[in-house]
Amino acid sequence: MHVNHAAGADPADSISFDDFLKVDIRVGTIVEAEAFPEARKPAFKLRIDFGAPIGIKRSSAQITERHRLEDLVGTQVLAIVNFPPRQIGPVRSEVLTLGVPDENGHVVLLRPDQGVPDGGRLF
């Protein structure tokens, strides 16, 4: 499957509501953020707390252009928690942190505009 990350990309094929329900998107709080100099593209290593029963999961996120490392801890974000883990260099990414491109194609994190309980599922 080709993923087009550009703003204004063509819409994806239609799916059923049952297909949507298979994608488990949850809110979690970033509890640790580190530089990831080994990554091919600039990225940060994140540890995100999704609360019980999911707990803390690792992610690699290419968000270095629009987000400062020192501002990330304590930030709530949305992530897909039921993809299989991916090895990204030395990091095992366990969740896919979600974002959308700005006008220059740089990733802006998706996050609630108010604090909500960690582990809440998007619906």
Side-chain angles (χ1 to χ4, degrees), residues 29-34 46-47 68-76:
T29 299
I30 298 172
V31 295
E32 191 175 306
E34 300 178 59
L46 307 176
R47 289 176 41 93
R68 295 181 341 158
L69 193 58
E70 58 270 19
D71 295 336
L72 292 172
V73 172
T75 297
Q76 286 193 301

Side-chain angles (χ1 to χ4, degrees), residues 2-13 100-102 105:
H2 174 72
V3 177
N4 189 340
H5 297 288
D10 291 337
D13 294 337
V100 293
D102 68 8

Side-chain angles (χ1 to χ4, degrees), residues 22 60 62 74-75 78 85 88 96 102:
K22 293 176 185 175
S60 169
Q62 295 174 6
T75 297
L78 291 168
I88 301 173
L96 176 64
D102 68 8

